Amino acid sequence: MKPALEQLVHIPVDGVQIEGMLELPANAQGIVLFAHGSGSSRHSPRNNFVAKELHAQHLGTLLLDLLTVAEDLDYQTRFDIPLLTHRLLVATRWVLQHPATQRLPIGYFGASTGAAAALQAAAAVSDTIKAVVSRGGRPDLAGHHDLARVAAPTLLLVGGHDPEVLELNREAHARLHCEKELSVIPGATHLFEEAGTLEEVARQAAAWFSRHLRGL
């Protein structure tokens, strides 16, 4: 489905501008903000693949670069979860003020360290965020306190052949008190490069957001 609106946006924060690609299908019934992992970007083919599946379900997307190019070169900044969370919250406020998106229910999709930022942000604005999905993420980096505060229904997607991350997700899942699900994708490693595994991620993410953003 070709988006009815496709716009490169620049959101001012901390003296810099973070970039995002906003795509809205006709009659969008919700919007999902993507927080990518360390060393990735809004051009991530995996996140864009998932975004297209969401568009087919009448959900808009905003794929964000929470760090500038220079910041992303700094290994420590990539793992600065409070900074990533702060940037995601600023982008969320931007969505709430943008004429095309201000009335849409909001969800977060986080990958790798972006998952921790998504959960911390969801804990901070629990009345605003309606659903969270983590793909191969590090929700444990959100910390015990914030995990316990998340109210949004949360889906953790992990590859069955990604044992260390799977164990970290199990620990994070146990600390969530919201509606939650841990889904293990059989045969998938960390990047979901195996045949059919990314398609399964996109299918489950679309179903989760459709249920909680569109009420289906």
Side-chain angles (χ1 to χ4, degrees):
M1 176 182 294
K2 183 174 177 58
L5 172 66
E6 186 173 355
Q7 179 183 13
L8 179 64
V9 303
H10 297 85
I11 301 171
V13 57
D14 303 330
V16 300
Q17 288 196 333
I18 57 176
E19 289 190 344
M21 179 55 69
L22 174 65
E23 297 184 74
L24 296 176
N27 302 314
Q29 297 177 33
I31 184 167
V32 177
L33 280 62
F34 280 64
H36 64 74
S38 57
S40 185
S41 75
R42 61 182 168 81
H43 301 291
S44 160
R46 288 175 290 277
N47 283 352
N48 277 275
F49 183 91
V50 174
K52 286 182 172 55
E53 185 65 27
L54 299 185
H55 300 157
Q57 299 299 320
H58 303 285
L59 297 171
T61 57
L62 177 58
L63 276 76
L64 291 160
D65 284 339
L66 296 176
L67 300 176
T68 66
V69 173
E71 289 171 338
D72 195 52
L73 293 174
D74 185 335
Y75 185 80
Q76 287 187 316
T77 306
R78 290 183 185 183
F79 284 85
D80 188 339
I81 306 302
L83 174 63
L84 297 174
T85 300
H86 167 63
R87 299 272 176 95
L88 182 56
L89 287 170
V90 170
T92 303
R93 288 195 290 272
W94 183 91
V95 166
L96 290 169
Q97 295 168 1
H98 192 282
T101 57
Q102 60 187 0
R103 292 184 174 85
L104 297 177
I106 300 173
Y108 288 151
F109 183 97
S112 189
T113 50
L119 287 163
Q120 279 195 351
V125 287
S126 57
D127 292 340
T128 301
I129 305 308
K130 305 305 181 186
V132 177
V133 173
S134 163
R135 171 186 64 79
R138 289 293 307 275
D140 58 296
L141 294 176
H144 298 172
H145 176 70
D146 283 319
L147 286 171
R149 293 171 57 222
V150 174
T154 299
L155 172 63
L156 306 177
L157 296 165
V158 190
H161 289 172
D162 192 9
E164 292 183 8
V165 171
L166 177 54
E167 182 57 32
L168 293 169
N169 272 258
R170 284 182 174 139
E171 293 172 5
H173 180 265
R175 297 187 179 279
L176 290 166
H177 301 310
C178 54
E179 178 183 345
K180 59 186 179 179
E181 183 176 337
L182 173 61
S183 179
V184 181
I185 310 299
T189 53
H190 186 62
L191 295 180
F192 299 90
E193 296 173 308
E194 295 74 22
T197 58
L198 188 59
E199 287 81 357
E200 183 61 17
V201 165
R203 185 192 70 78
Q204 291 195 32
W208 192 262
F209 284 126
S210 291
R211 185 193 319 167
H212 297 290
L213 300 187
R214 299 175 56 200
L216 297 181

